[in-house]
Amino acid sequence: MALINGIDIHFEVRGDESSPRTLFLNGSGATLATSGLLVDVFARRLHVACHDQRGLGRTEAPPT
């Protein structure tokens, strides 16, 4: 979890740190809970950073 601009952002890093780095962005409405199996496939060969978008999953919604 990271506090960014007053919002707790849930993120995860998976895979081998020596593998190529990849940023995984969920589709609209998806969360790490629903796309975790796909992230696991990428993490077999890549070092993957992923997050829940604001207001979804374990990331807070902004107040406005």
Side-chain angles (χ1 to χ4, degrees):
M1 194 75 67
L3 182 64
I4 301 172
N5 293 330
I7 300 169
D8 281 326
I9 305 288
H10 173 74
F11 72 94
E12 298 177 10
V13 178
R14 301 182 192 179
D16 184 356
E17 290 184 21
S18 65
S19 298
R21 293 178 180 173
T22 303
L23 177 61
F24 179 85
L25 301 173
N26 290 325
S28 183
T31 67
L32 290 180
T34 60
S35 55
L37 292 176
L38 180 59
V39 174
D40 288 341
V41 170
F42 292 131
R44 290 181 194 148
R45 295 180 185 232
L46 303 166
H47 188 227
V48 182
C50 48
H51 74 288
D52 282 331
Q53 297 177 33
R54 294 182 304 167
L56 296 173
R58 295 171 54 191
T59 294
E60 292 182 327
T64 58

